[in-house]
Amino acid sequence: MHYVGMTAMRMNAQVRYDPGLFMLALLCAVVLAIAALSIRSQPVASRVRGRWSGAVAALVMGGAITGMHYTAMFSAYFVRDETARAVTGSLDPAFLATIVILVSGLLIALVLSATVAVRYLDVVQRLRRANDELRQAASVFDHTAEGIMVTDAAAKILSVNRAFTWVTGYAASEVLGQTPKVLGSGRHDENFYRALWATLLKTGHWEGEVWNRRKNGEIYPELLTINAIRDKHGAPQNFVALFRDITQLKRTQEELERLAHFDALTGLPNRTLLGERLHHALDRIRRSGGELAVMVLDLDGFKTVNDSLGHPTGDRLLQAIAQRLAAALRAEDTVARLGGDEFAVILEDLKHGGDAAEVARKLLLSLAEPVDVGGHSALVTVSIGIALYPEDGGDSIALLKAADTAMYQSKQTGRNTFHFHHSDMTLAVRRRLDMEEGLRRALEGDELEVWYQPQVDLASGAVIGAEALLRWRDPRAGLILPNEFIPLAEETGLIIAIGDWVLNAAAAAARRWREQFGWHWKVSINIAGPQIERGDFHFSVLRALGGNALPAEALELEITETFIMHNADNALEVVRQLRALGIKTAIDDFGTGYSSLAYLKHLPIDRLKIDRGFVKDLPGDRDDAAIVAAVIALGASLGYTVIAEGVETEAQRDFLRRAGCDQGQGYLFSPPLPMAEFEAWVRERER
Ligand code: C2E
Ligand code: MG
Ligand code: MG
């Protein structure tokens, strides 16, 4: 710029340059320009570069221009035209300008073409690289073991890979343009897919297990990942689904699960699974209440069998025993093999902890028959220990330990038996079992008796009937009262046979009294719930009447208020049918069962029997007095005869009579008596 400018100057002289100073000007310009550029581009100190480097560089650049300009001006000298030619050793300005323009132009051209060349090379390289990636991606798409499916925003299938075809059985041409619904198995409901789409649209991603259907109809599990690809506005443009068939994986998992939780020899749950089930059962019971029992069973003398017949036989024996134990239990109970010849049982939903004894007996019985193992018949027994939740332990470990301790007691007391961890329970259950056995024996062996208690007309004092009351004369324990054994008889079902026996005995007594003494009264018989519930009760009654040639009104059936209140209409229907046959019915223990007055009106009964509990404190207790007076009035207004039980004193009798009660029964008149004594009592009174 400087030299061209100098040449362009119009003057009457020619410019000449001193070559040495010209070189100095050039040097000054180049060195300072380089310095300025380096200040601008190099990190001298970040702070200087940040704020001041621009200014410093500009200053240096200014210095470069100024230095160059002044040095160049200094190198110039002006001569007249005519002397110019004579001056030698100086530089001609035109020549200098041309050289400077040419060199600058060349430099600019060089820099420009170098820049373009570098850019071009860069683009080519990147293109080259992108192509590689594409080819790799295509190859991965087709060779990956995972099925891939790409859809558009409306879930229309755009492309699938080869693995898709291997897994689903559909060729690409069969599914393009369809939606993934073609693969639906029907195993997931609408909610499942709705939740899937909600997550996918919200987060752009979904992952989980899905059951799909192959072209051949087979349903299979797959692990599915779906990603949404969004356009620049964020709206989903494509969905890419990646899935893997995990049928094999599932099968392996199940097999591992089985191995981890079941005993390989017997197929029963193992100790681990037993622990888990017990844990869950306890959780349930803590929430909803109830009783639970854990039993530990140890085979007696298994070692002898194993040693004498060999281990393969021992194994077969264990398998057979496992089957028998499982068969003796309900499906919902768990029997597990703890290891060796030890088993364990969980019993849930017990009404009463003592009921576990019943199951223990069943288990003992299930091994009573010898087991046939490969031509040998082996007889093994088992010792059982029972622990109850919550009495014997609060968690599974404590319960198993308690049951184990109890099991050792069974071993010590002769094996082939069971023990509760709680010795009281063992005692109570034993007593119960003894009683049950005794009761069966009593029924067969003439140990039952019916005693009779008179019922009296309160106004006249005349005997108008008798209640038959059962007694058990146990050869060892002596006389046992019904409250001690009737509940057990009801639970075990023995009450059916016992009830029939009482019915016949009472009917026979009624017949004898009619025939021998002309006593045409009713004999009252207590009936238990299970007798009525069985459904064929009226046959029993008709048989008892027919067998003794008695008219229907010779018998009265007493049913407790509690039973009437707690039982379904069909039980009442049975009572109604009996009554239609002419048989009398009474509500026993009236006042203890909370029957509503409205309900009372519809009951198929003839007589109300006021419970002893209300009579006991008459006439002193004002509440009882009021209740009894009200019941009598109510009974009368509904047309029922009213009888009071448990009348022990004259004051009670007088109060009842004054309140309008028709009849009474109690120690004041006579306690229940054996038949002969009862007859003597009545005849004495009649005299
Ligand atoms: P229940 O039907 O209410 O019988 C009345 C009970 O009160 C009888 O007791 C009787 O001995 C007693 N008793 C009678 N008068 C008096 C008295 O003045 N004071 C006192 N403190 N008690 C008196 P028992 O014979 O022990 O019978 C008890 C219960 O056993 C009966 O109550 C009845 O529910 C049931 N029962 C008796 N025999 C049979 C039967 O053959 N079958 C069925 N299913 N249950 C029976
Ligand atoms: Mg009674
Ligand atoms: Mg009663």
Side-chain angles (χ1 to χ4, degrees):
M1 180 274 286
H2 176 79
Y3 297 101
V4 177
M6 290 295 277
T7 314
M9 266 167 51
R10 290 158 200 265
M11 54 186 170
N12 200 10
Q14 286 204 18
V15 188
R16 283 288 189 272
Y17 294 100
D18 180 282
L21 289 171
F22 166 74
M23 291 311 286
L24 188 64
L26 200 62
L27 195 68
C28 176
V30 170
V31 168
L32 286 174
I34 288 172
L37 282 173
S38 82
I39 286 169
R40 199 63 193 119
S41 64
Q42 273 179 28
V44 178
S46 63
R47 210 177 286 163
V48 173
R49 199 183 77 200
R51 282 193 206 149
W52 301 105
S53 67
V56 174
L59 266 176
V60 174
M61 197 54 145
I65 293 168
T66 316
M68 181 275 287
H69 179 71
Y70 284 99
T71 317
M73 289 297 273
F74 193 58
S75 78
Y77 56 97
F78 300 88
V79 289
R80 290 185 183 281
D81 280 349
E82 56 274 21
T83 54
R85 251 166 254 123
V87 180
T88 54
S90 63
L91 292 171
D92 175 63
F95 168 75
L96 205 58
T98 313
I99 290 293
V100 167
I101 289 170
L102 275 178
V103 167
S104 305
L106 200 67
L107 276 174
I108 290 169
L110 260 175
V111 167
L112 278 180
S113 47
T115 312
V116 168
V118 166
R119 282 271 164 84
Y120 173 77
L121 278 179
D122 190 45
V123 166
V124 167
Q125 224 167 30
R126 255 194 268 168
L127 263 178
R128 230 193 287 135
R129 216 181 293 140
N131 236 338
D132 259 3
E133 280 167 10
L134 262 181
R135 206 172 318 143
Q136 274 167 14
S139 164
V140 169
F141 185 77
D142 255 346
H143 290 100
T144 182
E146 253 126 6
I148 302 177
M149 170 169 68
V150 182
T151 75
D152 64 10
K156 286 251 175 322
I157 300 174
L158 299 179
S159 62
V160 296
N161 69 347
R162 277 191 232 171
F164 175 96
T165 305
W166 299 332
V167 175
T168 66
Y170 286 104
S173 57
E174 292 174 294
V175 293
L176 294 187
Q178 306 233 43
T179 70
K181 274 189 194 151
V182 287
L183 303 172
S185 67
R187 281 221 189 166
H188 304 285
D189 59 6
E190 239 174 73
N191 290 338
F192 173 84
Y193 291 107
R194 206 176 298 142
L196 183 156
W197 276 106
T199 311
L200 185 55
L201 292 177
K202 194 172 160 212
T203 66
H205 180 83
W206 188 89
E207 201 178 293
E209 271 184 37
V210 173
W211 291 91
N212 271 350
R213 187 190 296 274
R214 299 188 221 275
K215 189 178 172 186
N216 67 9
E218 195 187 328
I219 291 178
Y220 69 97
E222 65 176 38
L223 195 65
L224 173 65
T225 312
I226 312 175
N227 282 299
I229 298 173
R230 299 177 192 273
D231 61 17
K232 58 177 185 283
H233 306 293
Q237 195 173 26
N238 294 101
F239 295 106
V240 180
L242 229 89
F243 60 89
R244 192 146 51 100
D245 183 342
I246 51 170
T247 311
Q248 200 53 44
L249 189 76
K250 281 237 157 197
R251 240 176 250 154
T252 315
Q253 264 174 0
E254 273 161 23
E255 182 60 17
L256 281 176
E257 183 90 342
R258 209 182 56 75
L259 287 177
H261 285 117
F262 289 88
D263 172 50
L265 179 66
T266 60
L268 293 182
N270 63 11
R271 190 184 276 275
T272 313
L273 185 55
L274 176 91
E276 283 174 19
R277 293 213 182 145
L278 187 51
H279 196 76
H280 286 141
L282 287 173
D283 269 355
R284 253 198 309 278
I285 259 186
R286 278 185 206 114
R287 278 198 305 272
S288 56
E291 295 240 15
L292 175 149
V294 178
M295 296 184 186
V296 168
L297 295 79
D298 192 282
L299 301 183
D300 304 321
F302 175 74
K303 197 175 172 304
T304 322
V305 177
N306 216 17
D307 290 349
S308 57
L309 300 181
H311 287 238
T313 310
D315 282 355
R316 248 173 290 160
L317 182 60
L318 284 173
Q319 287 168 334
I321 287 171
Q323 272 173 16
R324 288 208 187 167
L325 295 178
L329 294 166
R330 299 171 304 176
E332 59 265 39
D333 298 326
T334 294
V335 54
R337 184 174 172 220
L338 295 179
D341 60 351
E342 237 192 353
F343 298 84
V345 171
I346 308 173
L347 300 175
E348 287 186 63
D349 296 328
L350 291 178
K351 272 206 209 80
H352 181 266
D355 295 349
E358 200 50 52
V359 181
R361 284 218 308 184
K362 259 198 221 156
L363 292 173
L364 291 173
L365 262 175
S366 75
L367 301 185
E369 292 279 307
V371 183
D372 185 50
V373 269
H376 300 282
S377 101
L379 189 65
V380 253
T381 57
V382 65
S383 295
I384 303 178
I386 310 172
L388 300 178
Y389 174 86
E391 296 92 320
D392 301 328
D395 57 42
S396 48
I397 293 173
L399 283 170
L400 277 167
K401 199 164 164 249
D404 208 48
T405 317
M407 186 271 291
Y408 275 102
Q409 260 179 298
S410 295
K411 288 271 186 213
Q412 277 166 5
T413 49
R415 309 170 159 203
N416 193 21
T417 184
F418 65 86
H419 267 86
F420 281 86
H421 179 250
H422 215 69
S423 52
D424 288 355
M425 183 59 103
T426 310
L427 266 181
V429 165
R430 293 241 173 273
R431 212 177 291 138
R432 225 176 95 109
L433 288 175
D434 285 351
M435 183 178 267
E436 190 185 328
E437 243 174 70
L439 209 50
R440 281 178 209 281
R441 210 186 44 233
L443 193 59
E444 289 159 11
D446 268 356
E447 293 172 21
L448 297 180
E449 296 173 14
V450 180
W451 288 25
Y452 296 92
Q453 186 176 31
Q455 298 175 341
V456 174
D457 181 277
L458 289 183
S460 66
V463 177
I464 45 106
E467 178 174 7
L469 293 160
L470 184 60
R471 298 290 181 266
W472 173 15
R473 194 178 294 280
D474 184 71
R476 283 169 302 170
L479 196 71
I480 305 177
L481 290 176
N483 286 341
E484 272 186 69
F485 64 85
I486 294 281
L488 180 70
E490 288 190 11
E491 276 173 46
T492 53
L494 273 173
I495 192 68
I496 304 290
I498 292 179
D500 266 0
W501 184 86
V502 173
L503 199 58
N504 284 312
R511 173 190 190 168
R512 174 181 150 84
W513 295 335
R514 278 172 187 248
E515 284 176 358
Q516 296 223 347
F517 309 116
W519 300 337
H520 287 269
W521 340 296
K522 282 191 304 296
V523 177
S524 304
I525 301 160
N526 295 285
I527 302 300
Q531 290 175 272
I532 299 177
E533 280 161 354
R534 225 174 58 144
D536 58 355
F537 180 57
H538 59 283
F539 287 124
S540 295
V541 180
L542 288 178
R543 229 176 290 130
L545 287 171
N548 292 289
L550 286 173
E553 69 270 12
L555 296 183
E556 181 190 60
L557 306 177
E558 288 190 9
I559 302 146
T560 62
E561 190 193 15
T562 322
F563 174 77
I564 288 181
M565 288 315 298
H566 289 99
N567 281 276
D569 293 341
N570 51 351
L572 279 185
E573 192 46 45
V574 176
V575 181
R576 213 165 269 132
Q577 282 171 10
L578 288 166
R579 198 155 165 269
L581 295 172
I583 294 154
K584 300 287 175 208
T585 55
I587 301 190
D588 202 353
D589 304 341
F590 187 77
T592 55
Y594 309 104
S595 44
S596 80
L597 298 183
Y599 187 61
L600 202 58
K601 193 171 73 180
H602 300 292
L603 288 180
I605 52 151
D606 303 283
R607 190 153 76 151
L608 281 186
K609 207 167 180 187
I610 301 176
D611 188 67
R612 195 164 71 229
F614 296 101
V615 176
K616 195 170 53 142
D617 296 326
L618 288 182
D621 188 296
R622 287 182 32 209
D623 290 343
D624 284 349
I627 292 170
V628 168
V631 168
I632 293 168
L634 177 81
S637 70
L638 289 173
Y640 302 142
T641 310
V642 181
I643 179 168
E645 65 179 13
V647 183
E648 294 183 355
T649 65
E650 286 178 357
Q652 289 168 347
R653 182 196 57 197
D654 293 343
F655 175 91
L656 288 162
R657 195 167 46 193
R658 271 201 307 278
C661 184
D662 308 303
Q663 302 158 351
Q665 177 182 342
Y667 295 168
L668 174 66
F669 311 108
S670 164
L673 298 170
M675 176 122 139
E677 286 172 45
F678 170 77
E679 287 173 359
W681 181 88
V682 181
R683 291 171 72 187
E684 177 67 22
R685 193 175 168 93
E686 277 184 341
R687 251 200 285 127

